[in-house]
């Protein structure tokens, strides 16, 4: 298998990175587009994060003190939520998928490179439409935008909000079609469905959800826009409309959207934990198929977001499906624990964030099952308990997975390692900041503090001050990552083709990969997670002899001193 | 549709890669159609709910339209179905290598598409004159029908319009010989056009006949 | 200490391993039980019978969740310590691809647990939902950004002086909810504008109020453990939990939990009395109307005032403060006397907008008694008369000497407003 004829066209440090200017142009190279997505989404992450800091600043007092009035506060969390979901997590995964899927499958590019670029270029305008809203009265109905608050009672920014989400939705549908076609058709002949990396499985499941669920949002937004600008009354109960129609359509999309945000994170975890524990993934098929199970069952649980508005007798069926979905999620968590058990766990930044994900996500999962129970839900619904739950899932889950992915694949993307010391500081501050911010929110919510309020019962002030202080730490922690990314990309240690000694195909080429990714036809190892066998060792050694040693590997893996090539200046 | 730029950029494609590219494009079109179906279904569901809750209003609309109104829409549906047939004929010509024949049939496709839109516009004007408006007009006896009628039909009309533009593009590219060896671009347009046709049959049945 | 994970089947079945698994299972169970004991600390008072059931369900879930939490974190921390990569060790771990038995176990056990929780939750839900005998029906009206509660009372009839000629004629309004221990309550709720949600954290129950629909919820208030008799009536917040606009956070009022029916009836009697025998003086009557909460003024305005046994203690911030409004009323619109300004501000709130506030006050209707925002003309006149006396600059004696408003002009102005067919 390792006898493929690789020309020696790239040893570590010698592959040129694309010129910086290329990232600001229309490019149809999936690697450029991937980075464009990632950097753009990071930009919106910073803005949305700053809004979160303002929210926490305001909440240090039980009266309105920082903001001018309640409306201004409402815009903060409305835009914060919308941006974090639609212009940060969703497009980040699109970007990572873009960069990795063709590489993992040994393909030259995505199936439709032009469409790929088009999908990306819908993203910046949609983000800026959201920001533009601030100048004409921004949306203030929350990211869920329930009518009639979002129709009759909202300023013009709400229209921009809907247009913005429309664009993002179109972008992700086009991107998802591209992913599905690429994954189905562009694998090398020797890679069967069950030899695909699990990140590809996760992306496939995610894309199926996007193709089938996101259009519901598009339909709902179209009706909302008509209500706002054309005088229709689809959602106006005083004129024959129905407010629950919106909630049903919106959540029919938006609950699956939760899986759009977390499934790729599951995929990242499966890669990172196996590679950095030096063990095969435990129960490959169960983990792959549970993604599909989650995708399917995810379509049947939407109304658990409506337990306090839905007719009481309809609540029970949704409680049942919502609880059932905990089972495939549990399979994954236990599978990952089985993966690290008995391994050689590297405690580097990439793996720390994945392990951190495991420890936080399980809390979000437990609180999720609690919320699925109707009687508990009618107490917790729309309180800080819910805020805490979905931040555990989306921050402790998705964002930790994103961080893990960055530490893991940034060396592939840039050819440079991220600094480990900064990475560990980043992990510790993020983990502590996160727990301090979101753990007490469970209690505040149960005690009686609703979400989306700037004015609250003064008895909750102490806890809120504590939460805010930890949230500022969480905010600061992000800068360790950003600084690390900038500094390491310019002057980091050269990574080499395969610093982690990973078996998946994206590592069997130079860092960054050359145009069209591989020289010659790449031959995947028969088992993407077959660590610990002589065959896998031979495969990796053969690859190393082709691409040269990877100096980015951990200290201990370094060959005896002197054999290491000097870090070379950046390729560009 | 998006492959041109890529082909120019890439090195020469192998036969295998070309076959895969055809498969890719058709598969992508099916996925796109799945997505479109979901968007249409939100609007169709909004109509169905109204149809169930307010049967009297719908009945009133049918009576107001009268036999001539229904016949006109039936004729319009016939035009669209005919265009689908013309599309199939055109596709057959290009697969036989007859460029001119295909373009002739596709003029018919585009023409019928435009005729469909013209008649739909005429029908909208008629409806508006009877007080069926997109915005909610509480004083109208048909209050609530308009928005649930115009939203799906206009959304469909927009698809026909896009289809006519696409048809013209396909004709232009056919005249340059793009499809002489490989007619996948025409087939994909065909899939779309058939789909738009089928959606109309559904809307027609749902709105005018039931 | 190889628990197997399939790597070594014979050791996985050895008595020592089975014993170890049993010990760990017991430890996890005990740990879960300990965590579950946090439940009463996490929740506020249990002021309803439903709270007992919901807290118990939560406690069970917290116990099970706590065990799972300890299991996952335990395995995680143990693995990180025991299996961390050592300096210089460049080997891979064992090539274990999975273990069917184990995978079936960790699919089946959660499935069974979840099934049990579904059945338990279902039973609790059915209990809570069940209609009770002799429910006290309270009508709840929500609007941006406040609540009004309407109580039925047989002493009230149409035209008895409470001003309401519509379906509310046999109900008396209150700005707060009053209930007493042991009396099941059924709340029948409607919203006048956007979606709101009714929640009393201490009673655990929450229900949305949806435009175009009437929604219901049931609460059975109960005595709260550890509260002395003299602490009653207990006061808890009623908060809105569905985002409803700029004043969402400030949209709260109180529920008063009376210890027994006697205390509750005292409140009912005094409320009915004030409706049946309103003060002759229009100024005091205006104050009574505002204090009754029937028009929800307290939802958005601030005002501290106390007269003749009546007290207003409002501190809402959504609308402009009414403190000392009479002093400012004549200066707002040039050429418009105070009484005309105040009256117009009630009937046509958009006519003049106080800088810094939005045009979000209800547009009241006074022609149609069945309109959503019905405000009979006499009530508006009385409220205006009262507001004309809300002064910081002048004492009541000075106002009696030199009133800030011309009452005769008010009556003719209001007549003119009606003639104009406004609204």
């Amino acid at each position: 298998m390792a006898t493929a004829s690789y020309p020696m066209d790239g040893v570590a440090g010698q592959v040129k990175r694309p010129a910086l200017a290329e990232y600001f142009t229309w490019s149809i190279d999936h690697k450029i587009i991937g980075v464009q997505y990632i950097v753009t989404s990071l930009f919106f992450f910073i803005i949305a994060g700053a809004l979160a800091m303002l929210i926490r600043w305001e909440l240090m007092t039980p009266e309105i003190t920082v903001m001018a009035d309640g409306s201004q506060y409402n815009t903060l969390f409305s835009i914060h939520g919308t941006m974090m979901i639609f212009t940060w997590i969703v497009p980040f995964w699109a970007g990572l998928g873009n960069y990795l899927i063709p590489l993992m499958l040994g393909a030259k590019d995505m199936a439709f490179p032009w469409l790929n670029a088009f999908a990306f270029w819908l993203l910046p305008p949609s983000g800026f439409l959201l920001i533009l809203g601030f100048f004409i009265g921004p949306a203030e109905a929350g990211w869920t935008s329930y009518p009639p608050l979002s129709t009759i009672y909202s300023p013009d920014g709400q229209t921009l909000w809907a247009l913005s989400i429309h664009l993002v939705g179109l972008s992700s549908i086009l991107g998802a079609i591209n992913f599905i076609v690429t994954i189905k058709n562009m694998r090398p002949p020797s890679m069967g469905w069950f030899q695909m990396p699990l990140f590809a499985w996760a992306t496939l499941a995610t894309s199926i959800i996007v193709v089938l669920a996101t259009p519901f949002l598009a339909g709902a937004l179209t009706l909302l826009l008509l209500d706002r600008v054309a005088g229709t009354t689809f959602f106006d109960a005083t004129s024959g409309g129905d407010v629950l129609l919106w909630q049903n359509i919106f959540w029919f999309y938006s609950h699956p959207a939760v899986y759009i945000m977390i499934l790729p994170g599951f995929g990242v975890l499966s890669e990172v934990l196996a590679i950095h524990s030096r063990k095969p993934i435990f129960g490959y098929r169960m983990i792959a198929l549970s993604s599909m199970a989650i995708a399917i069952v995810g379509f049947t649980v939407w109304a658990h977001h409506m337990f306090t508005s839905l007719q009481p007798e309809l609540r029970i069926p949704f409680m049942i499906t919502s609880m059932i979905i905990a089972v495939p999620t549990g399979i994954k968590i236990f599978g990952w624990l089985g993966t690290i058990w008995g391994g050689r766990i590297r405690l580097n930044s990439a793996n720390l964030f994945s392990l951190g994900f495991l420890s936080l996500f399980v809390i979000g999962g437990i609180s999720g099952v609690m919320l699925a129970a109707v009687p508990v839900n009618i107490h917790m619904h729309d309180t800080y308990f819910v805020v805490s739950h979905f931040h555990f899932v989306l921050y402790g889950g998705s964002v930790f997975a994103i961080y893990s992915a960055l530490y893991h694949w940034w060396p592939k993307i840039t050819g440079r390692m991220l600094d480990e010391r900064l990475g560990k500081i980043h992990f510790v501050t993020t983990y502590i900041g996160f727990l301090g911010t979101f753990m007490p929110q469970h209690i505040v919510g149960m005690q009686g503090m609703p979400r989306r309020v700037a004015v609250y019962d003064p008895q909750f002030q102490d806890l809120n001050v504590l939460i805010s202080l930890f949230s500022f730490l969480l905010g600061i922690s992000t800068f360790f990552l950003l600084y690390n990314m900038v500094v390491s990309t310019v002057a980091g240690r050269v990574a080499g083709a395969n610093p982690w000694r990973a078996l998946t195909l994206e590592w069997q080429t130079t860092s960054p990969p050359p145009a069209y990714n591989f020289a010659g036809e790449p031959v995947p190892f028969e088992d993407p997670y077959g660590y610990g066998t002589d065959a896998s060792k031979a495969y990796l050694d053969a690859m190393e002899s082709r691409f040269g040693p990877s100096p980015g590997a951990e200290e201990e893996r370094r060959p005896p001193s002197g054999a290491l090539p000097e870090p070379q200046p950046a390729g560009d | 549709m998006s492959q041109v730029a890529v082909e120019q950029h890439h090195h020469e494609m192998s036969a295998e890669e070309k076959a895969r590219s055809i498969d890719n494009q058709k598969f992508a079109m099916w996925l796109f159609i799945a997505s479109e179906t979901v968007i249409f279904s939100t609007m169709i569901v909004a109509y169905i709910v109204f149809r169930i809750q307010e049967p009297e209003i719908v009945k009133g609309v049918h009576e107001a339209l009268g036999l001539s109104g229904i016949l006109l829409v039936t004729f319009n549906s016939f035009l669209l179905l005919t265009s689908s047939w013309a599309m199939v004929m055109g596709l057959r010509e290009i697969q036989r290598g007859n460029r001119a024949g295909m373009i002739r049939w596709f003029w018919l496709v585009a023409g019928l598409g435009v005729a469909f839109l013209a008649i739909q516009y005429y029908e909208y004007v008629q409806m508006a004159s009877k007080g069926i408006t997109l915005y909610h007009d509480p004083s109208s006896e048909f209050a609530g029908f308009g928005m649930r009628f115009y939203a799906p039909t206009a959304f469909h009309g927009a698809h026909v319009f896009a289809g006519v533009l696409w048809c013209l593009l396909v004709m232009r590219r056919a005249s340059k010989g793009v499809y002489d060896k490989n007619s996948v671009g025409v087939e994909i347009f065909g899939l779309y056009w058939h789909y738009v046709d089928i959606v109309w049959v559904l809307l027609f049945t749902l709105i005018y006949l039931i | 200490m190889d628990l197997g994970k399939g790597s070594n089947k014979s050791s996985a079945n050895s008595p020592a391993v089975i014993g170890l698994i049993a010990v760990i299972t017991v430890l996890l169970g005990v740990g879960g039980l300990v965590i579950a004991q946090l439940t009463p600390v996490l929740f506020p008072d249990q002021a309803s019978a439903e709270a007992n059931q919901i807290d118990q369900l939560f406690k069970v879930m917290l116990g099970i969740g706590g065990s799972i939490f300890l299991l996952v974190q335990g395995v995680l921390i143990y693995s990180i310590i025991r299996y961390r990569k050592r300096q210089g060790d460049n080997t891979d771990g064992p090539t274990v691809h999975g273990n069917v038995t184990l995978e079936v176990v960790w699919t089946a056990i959660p499935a069974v647990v979840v099934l049990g929780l579904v059945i338990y939750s279902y039973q609790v839900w059915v209990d809570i939902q069940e209609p009770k005998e002799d429910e006290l029906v309270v009508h709840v009206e929500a609007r941006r950004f406040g609540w009004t509660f309407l109580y039925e009372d047989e002493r009230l009839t149409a035209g008895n002086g409470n001003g309401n000629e519509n379906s509310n004629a046999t109900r008396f309004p209150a700005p707060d909810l009053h209930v007493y221990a042991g009396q099941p309550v059924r709340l029948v709720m409607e919203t006048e504008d956007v979606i709101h949600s009714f929640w009393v954290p201490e009673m655990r129950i929450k229900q949305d109020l949806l435009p175009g629909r009437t929604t219901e919820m049931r609460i059975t208030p109960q005595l709260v453990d550890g509260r002395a008799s003299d602490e009653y009536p207990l006061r808890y917040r009623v908060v809105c939990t569905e985002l409803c606009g700029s004043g969402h956070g400030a949209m709260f009022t109180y529920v008063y939990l009376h210890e027994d029916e006697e205390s509750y009836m005292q409140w009912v009697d005094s409320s009915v009395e004030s409706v049946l025998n309103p003060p002759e003086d229009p100024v005091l009557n205006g104050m009574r109307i505002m204090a009754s909460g029937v028009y929800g003024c307290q939802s958005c305005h601030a005002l501290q005032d106390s007269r003749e046994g009546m007290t207003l203690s409002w501190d809402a911030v959504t609308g402009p403060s009414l403190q000392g409004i009479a002093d400012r009323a004549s200066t707002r619109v040039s050429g418009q006397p105070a009484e005309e300004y105040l009256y117009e501000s009630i009937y046509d709130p958009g006519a003049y907008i106080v800088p810094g506030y939005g045009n979000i006050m209800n547009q009241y209707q006074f022609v149609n008694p069945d309109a959503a925002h019905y405000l009979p003309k006499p009530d508006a006149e009385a409220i205006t008369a009262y507001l004309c006396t809300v002064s910081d600059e002048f004492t009541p004696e000075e106002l009696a000497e030199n009133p800030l408003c011309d009452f005769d002009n008010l009556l003719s102005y209001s007549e003119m407003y009606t003639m104009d067919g406004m609204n």
Side-chain angles (χ1 to χ4, degrees), chain B residues 161-180:
Chain B
F161 182 73
V164 168
L165 292 184
W166 191 353
C167 183
L168 295 175
L169 182 73
V170 167
M171 287 156 69
R172 195 179 131 87
R173 296 185 58 185
S175 68
K176 288 181 180 167
V178 174
Y179 304 120
D180 287 0

Side-chain angles (χ1 to χ4, degrees), chain C residues 209-228:
Chain C
L209 291 76
L210 302 166
R213 291 169 203 234
T214 302
T215 52
E216 291 191 347
M217 60 181 270
R218 294 186 164 81
I219 311 175
T220 309
Q222 66 177 9
L223 294 174
V224 178
D225 278 351
R227 293 304 189 104

Side-chain angles (χ1 to χ4, degrees), chain A residues 70-71 74 153 237 242 278 283 286 308 315 342-343 345 359 366 378-379 381-382 447 452 527 531-532 556-557, chain C residues 41-42 65 73 83 85 90-95 97 103 106 125 193 206-208 211 213 241-242 245-246 248:
Chain A
S71 286
N74 291 353
Y153 295 87
D242 187 352
R278 313 308 300 162
M286 288 292 261
T308 61
R315 297 177 193 179
I345 304 170
S359 80
I366 292 167
I378 56 172
H379 177 64
H381 182 83
D382 265 343
Q447 290 280 325
R452 296 171 163 176
D527 174 357
Y531 298 103
E556 312 95 283
R557 269 203 61 239
Chain C
V41 184
L42 296 172
Q73 310 292 4
Y83 300 116
K85 190 178 107 65
N90 288 326
T91 57
D92 286 352
T95 312
H97 281 98
E103 286 168 47
W106 69 44
W125 180 235
D193 37 49
K206 185 182 293 131
Q207 171 63 46
D208 286 7
R213 291 169 203 234
T241 45
E242 185 61 63
S246 58
H248 169 53

Side-chain angles (χ1 to χ4, degrees), chain B residues 58-75:
Chain B
V58 177
K59 211 173 144 200
V61 172
H62 286 170
E63 279 164 11
L65 281 175
L67 186 63
S68 63
I70 303 280
L71 281 179
L72 181 70
V73 186
T74 311
F75 175 67

Side-chain angles (χ1 to χ4, degrees), chain A residues 236-271:
Chain A
D236 181 358
T238 58
S239 307
D242 187 352
V243 292
L244 286 187
L245 178 65
W246 167 268
Q247 295 187 14
N248 274 301
I249 308 179
F250 178 82
W251 286 114
F252 194 79
Y253 158 74
S254 288
H255 192 82
V258 173
Y259 302 111
I260 293 173
M261 289 185 272
I262 195 66
L263 282 177
F266 290 168
V268 167
L269 233 67
S270 301
E271 302 294 329

Side-chain angles (χ1 to χ4, degrees), chain A residues 484-542:
Chain A
N484 197 348
M485 287 173 74
V486 172
V487 169
S488 299
T489 303
V490 175
R493 194 146 44 92
V494 170
N498 192 358
W500 310 130
R501 277 178 78 79
L503 284 167
T504 41
L505 271 181
E506 79 271 26
W507 299 102
Q508 318 314 330
T509 184
T510 56
S511 303
Y516 307 121
N517 299 341
F518 300 93
E521 288 295 319
V523 180
F525 185 64
E526 57 195 356
D527 174 357
Y529 305 104
Y531 298 103
T533 61
D534 292 340
S536 69
K537 189 171 183 304
Y539 179 82
L540 289 171
D541 287 344

Side-chain angles (χ1 to χ4, degrees), chain A residues 197-401:
Chain A
L198 285 164
F199 182 75
W201 268 105
T203 303
L204 178 66
T206 307
S207 301
I208 291 173
I209 302 175
V210 170
V211 166
L212 294 179
T214 310
F216 275 100
L217 182 67
L221 285 169
T222 307
L223 301 185
L224 188 80
L225 279 168
L226 286 174
D227 268 14
R228 286 190 60 84
V229 302
T232 62
T233 54
F234 288 106
F235 304 123
D236 181 358
T238 58
S239 307
D242 187 352
V243 292
L244 286 187
L245 178 65
W246 167 268
Q247 295 187 14
N248 274 301
I249 308 179
F250 178 82
W251 286 114
F252 194 79
Y253 158 74
S254 288
H255 192 82
V258 173
Y259 302 111
I260 293 173
M261 289 185 272
I262 195 66
L263 282 177
F266 290 168
V268 167
L269 233 67
S270 301
E271 302 294 329
V272 171
L273 288 174
I275 290 169
H276 293 290
S277 306
R278 313 308 300 162
K279 263 190 72 201
I281 194 81
F282 194 93
Y284 174 98
R285 272 173 196 252
M286 288 292 261
I287 287 184
L289 295 177
S290 64
S291 287
M292 302 309 277
I294 289 172
I296 293 162
V297 183
F299 275 99
T300 65
V301 303
W302 80 92
H304 71 221
H305 296 270
M306 303 161 56
F307 277 162
T308 61
S309 56
L310 203 67
Q311 293 88 321
E313 61 278 11
L314 290 181
R315 297 177 193 179
I316 296 302
F318 290 102
M319 168 169 84
I320 297 170
T321 52
S322 303
M323 286 210 177
I324 286 173
I325 208 161
V327 176
T329 314
I331 290 173
K332 281 182 189 289
I333 289 182
F334 292 127
W336 292 323
L337 290 177
T339 304
I340 64 171
W341 185 274
R344 308 283 184 272
I345 304 170
R346 297 175 184 155
L347 294 177
N348 53 24
S349 308
N351 209 18
L352 281 175
F353 273 106
S354 277
L355 296 166
F357 173 118
L358 261 181
S359 80
L360 298 177
F361 189 80
V362 71
I363 298 175
I366 292 167
S367 61
V369 174
M370 290 170 170
L371 286 170
V374 179
V376 176
N377 183 287
I378 56 172
H379 177 64
M380 311 288 204
H381 182 83
D382 265 343
T383 68
Y384 261 86
F385 190 90
V386 173
V387 175
S388 176
H389 160 70
F390 67 70
H391 280 95
F392 263 89
V393 177
L394 289 180
Y395 201 133
S398 302
V399 177
F400 267 61

